[in-house]
Amino acid sequence: MKDGTARGIGAEGQQLDWDSIDWESAESQVTHLRRRIYRATCEQKWNKVRSLTKLMLRSRSNLLLSVRRVTQTNKGKGTPGIDGRVALTDKARMTLIRQMEQRQFWRAQPSRRIYIPKAGKPGQLRPLSIPTLGNRIAQAIVKNALEPSWEARFEAHSYGFRPGRSCHDAIKQCWNRLNKNCRDQWVLDADIKGAFDNISQNHILEAIGPVPGRQLIKTWLAAGYVEAEQFHRTESGTGQGAIISPLLANIALDGMQRLLGNKFGFIRYADDCAT
């Protein structure tokens, strides 16, 4: 099979059956393409990176996996955006695949603003922006296309929201820096206040450069949100709750280790850092 094609969908996207999709094949194809993007970035073959990124954006396998992630495996699968739409049945998911292939629902729409309790901070609430169903799937597709190249460039001691890394890795690195053989005398623990809400959108766009999918990202950033039936513009930040936001935040914050780490040592987990 060619890159981006998975069994279970006809040549023109006809409905077959959700359970008949060859998920192993789809995952294998996307993983293979991600590795190619990663290697091309390491080799600084930028034209090849761009071509492979476009291929990932058009990949049917990437579409299938993105629909499954948003509608079946994510915790927020039953939480709708402003359109009130979810897809919790196999039939609805197959319909959604066809609509996404026809480029429906890709246009940026405002998110729905909700609030959830902050972990470990009684009485405090964290704002979440819930994109529409189509925007969530499109963001998952774009994230899969851009993430491998950035994984080849991200700093070594950045651990938050990255594949194959966790908070335990950050804790282990802290221990490595602070064990009895370490000469460090003090630790600065910092949390960037309201990082997701206040990151410069221009800085994000400058950092990602002229990559495929850039215009979509620009429109998502500026799409605004609806709270209590009122529309609010978003002139800064990238909404928490959007699938692509953790990647965009990591891109925006990349470089802090290079700035501080050579002199002090530096460990970052999303917007929490220690030096």
Side-chain angles (χ1 to χ4, degrees), residues 13-15 93-102:
Q14 299 96 332
Q15 178 175 334
R93 294 177 187 122
M94 297 301 292
T95 298
L96 186 56
I97 289 168
R98 294 197 303 276
Q99 291 171 328
M100 293 298 293
E101 286 181 320
Q102 295 165 5

Side-chain angles (χ1 to χ4, degrees), residues 41-254:
T41 303
C42 292
E43 296 167 359
Q44 298 186 28
K45 296 179 178 178
W46 302 116
N47 287 337
K48 186 174 183 180
V49 171
R50 184 176 182 85
S51 296
L52 292 172
T53 300
K54 288 182 177 180
L55 185 60
M56 181 69 94
L57 290 172
R58 295 193 298 264
S59 165
R60 181 175 287 175
S61 291
N62 189 13
L63 168 61
L64 295 176
L65 294 178
S66 297
V67 170
R68 185 174 68 167
R69 173 183 176 179
V70 170
T71 67
Q72 194 168 44
T73 61
N74 275 11
K75 289 183 179 179
K77 62 187 178 183
T79 305
I82 62 168
D83 59 352
R85 187 177 183 190
V86 295
L88 302 179
T89 67
D90 293 350
K91 182 178 180 180
R93 294 177 187 122
M94 297 301 292
T95 298
L96 186 56
I97 289 168
R98 294 197 303 276
Q99 291 171 328
M100 293 298 293
E101 286 181 320
Q102 295 165 5
R103 309 300 291 180
Q104 296 182 38
F105 308 115
W106 282 71
R107 182 176 61 85
Q109 293 181 280
S111 298
R112 182 168 72 92
R113 175 60 58 91
I114 64 172
Y115 293 85
I116 62 171
K118 278 191 175 183
K121 297 183 178 180
Q124 295 188 37
L125 298 175
R126 181 187 304 278
L128 288 185
S129 295
I130 311 300
T132 60
L133 183 61
N135 281 185
R136 272 182 276 180
I137 293 167
Q139 287 184 17
I141 290 170
V142 173
K143 178 178 180 290
N144 246 348
L146 299 187
E147 187 175 60
S149 181
W150 279 97
E151 279 298 311
R153 290 178 271 175
F154 279 149
E155 296 164 319
H157 299 313
S158 162
Y159 297 98
F161 305 116
R162 294 183 59 188
R165 293 179 173 231
S166 69
C167 60
H168 297 289
D169 297 311
I171 292 170
K172 181 179 179 180
Q173 182 60 24
C174 288
W175 187 90
N176 289 339
R177 292 288 309 178
L178 298 172
N179 65 48
K180 61 182 180 181
N181 297 319
C182 179
R183 296 180 181 179
D184 293 346
Q185 299 295 313
W186 52 267
V187 176
L188 172 64
D189 180 19
D191 180 358
I192 302 172
K193 185 176 181 180
F196 279 82
D197 292 329
N198 295 303
I199 290 173
S200 165
Q201 294 180 0
N202 286 335
H203 176 65
I204 292 173
L205 294 170
E206 288 173 5
I208 63 175
V211 296
R214 172 193 171 90
Q215 188 58 36
L216 273 171
I217 292 172
K218 183 177 181 180
T219 58
W220 288 329
L221 290 172
Y225 65 89
V226 174
E227 179 180 359
E229 300 185 353
Q230 280 199 323
F231 172 76
H232 301 264
R233 297 183 182 276
T234 46
E235 298 178 351
S236 65
T238 176
Q240 294 185 69
I243 286 176
I244 204 166
S245 286
L247 174 62
L248 296 182
N250 273 335
I251 291 172
L253 296 173
D254 189 58

